[in-house]
């Protein structure tokens, strides 16, 4: 695989946390980093510091994801890496203006839509798609295709764990469908990182992430971003395995059993495509 020395790397959720840390490291390494964030002020601040391009999009609105895809497609002749990093554990159950449970949409449906709308460019660029997932997929995730919104059993951590499971299934199905055409995909757990994770949530994880003690024992954003940086700069098939889910720098040994279900991955793709209105390619 002939990899460009200077890559165009789009990072969503790059206005804070591991996204901003990855953007700094990759920019310092000489890559063209594109910063995408929800907060205009924070996104502009990160981009200004790096001298990077920036786009503002709120994934709680699918119109923002569609607009972002069109803007990226127009701005860049190639995209070498798309890092779907935006997301997190959110607050109480709420539906977006698009009619979907917010955690599902922000963590899975919007990145799925963005990736699909950019798919032709990603294929032409022989790109890498990176998904920031979580060990929460194994600890909390349970996917029911007839209740993606968890209307029957919603809790913040269940919705989050399921969305992170969907990130893994999306990664494996993206690999199955398009790796033969040169596209590579990978998902990873960044570890417990001292960021604003869970700040908007009522989950039991919020006190841990917001406490002084919790932040002292957690990894820095730079350390949490290390795997994203690795996948963005190195070669799939040589340095890491496309279609896999990584924890602590290695293919995860323990995963949610549903993460290994190829038929579930296929059906999730088809259902997600139907929900956001794109062809199930």
């Amino acid at each position: 695989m002939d990899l460009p020395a200077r890559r165009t790397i789009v990072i969503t959720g790059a206005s804070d946390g591991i996204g901003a840390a990855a953007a700094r490291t990759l920019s310092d390494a000489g890559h063209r980093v594109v910063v995408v964030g929800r907060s205009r002020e924070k996104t502009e601040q990160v981009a200004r510091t790096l001298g990077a391009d920036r786009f503002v999009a709120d994934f709680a609105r699918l119109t923002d994801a569609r607009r972002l895809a069109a803007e990226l497609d127009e701005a860049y002749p190639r995209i070498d890496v798309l890092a779907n990093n935006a997301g997190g554990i959110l607050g109480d159950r709420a539906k977006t203006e698009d009619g979907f449970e917010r955690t599902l949409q922000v963590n899975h449906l919007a990145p799925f839509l963005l990736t699909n709308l950019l798919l032709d460019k990603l294929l032409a660029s022989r790109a890498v798609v990176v998904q920031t997932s979580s060990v929460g997929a194994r600890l909390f995730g349970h996917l029911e295709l007839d209740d993606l919104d968890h209307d029957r059993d919603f809790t913040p951590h269940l919705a989050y764990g399921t969305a992170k499971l969907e990130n893994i299934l999306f990664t494996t199905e993206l690999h199955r469908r398009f790796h033969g055409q040169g596209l590579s995909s990978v998902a990873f757990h960044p570890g417990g990182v001292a960021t604003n994770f869970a700040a908007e949530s009522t989950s039991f994880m919020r006190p841990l992430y917001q406490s002084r003690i919790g932040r002292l024992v957690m990894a820095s954003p730079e350390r949490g971003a290390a795997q994203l940086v690795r996948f963005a700069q190195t070669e799939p098939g040589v340095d890491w395995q496309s279609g896999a889910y990584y924890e602590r720098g290695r293919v995860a040994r323990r995963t949610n059993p549903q993460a290994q279900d190829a038929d579930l991955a296929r059906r999730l793709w088809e259902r997600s495509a139907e929900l956001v209105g794109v062809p199930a390619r």
Side-chain angles (χ1 to χ4, degrees), residues 21-153:
R24 286 191 294 271
T25 301
L26 290 165
S27 180
D28 288 346
H31 299 290
R32 182 179 193 178
V33 175
V34 181
V35 176
V36 180
R38 182 182 62 172
S39 163
R40 182 174 299 277
E41 181 180 359
K42 292 168 68 175
T43 302
E44 289 180 348
Q45 181 179 2
V46 172
R48 186 167 53 250
T49 300
L50 302 180
D53 296 342
R54 57 103 180 108
F55 296 85
V56 177
D58 183 351
F59 280 3
R61 294 189 292 265
L62 291 182
T63 53
D64 275 25
R66 293 188 179 96
R67 174 182 51 77
L68 174 63
E71 290 173 345
L72 292 172
D73 189 44
E74 181 178 1
Y76 305 106
R78 63 179 294 127
I79 295 174
D80 300 292
V81 180
L82 172 61
N84 287 318
N85 172 69
I89 187 166
L90 304 177
D92 293 335
R93 182 177 178 273
K95 294 292 180 75
T96 68
E97 63 184 38
D98 302 289
F100 304 114
E101 191 279 313
R102 190 164 58 130
T103 310
L104 166 71
Q105 179 166 318
V106 170
N107 287 274
H108 170 62
L109 290 178
F112 177 89
L113 175 60
L114 177 65
T115 305
N116 273 269
L117 292 175
L118 290 172
L119 197 51
D120 288 338
K121 179 149 290 180
L122 295 170
L123 288 169
S125 305
R126 300 183 68 83
V128 170
V129 178
V130 183
Q131 301 278 347
T132 302
S133 183
S134 169
V135 70
R138 171 168 56 85
L139 298 177
F140 313 127
H142 182 72
L143 177 59
E144 296 286 350
L145 288 174
D146 66 346
D147 188 22
L148 290 176
D149 287 328
H150 282 295
D151 286 333
R152 295 191 292 260
D153 56 359

Side-chain angles (χ1 to χ4, degrees), residues 240-262:
W240 50 270
Q241 178 182 331
S242 179
Y245 164 63
Y246 279 73
E247 291 180 7
R248 298 182 179 180
R250 301 177 298 183
V251 175
R253 295 179 180 177
R254 293 191 299 162
T255 61
N256 187 315
Q258 287 189 303
Q260 308 301 319
D261 188 334

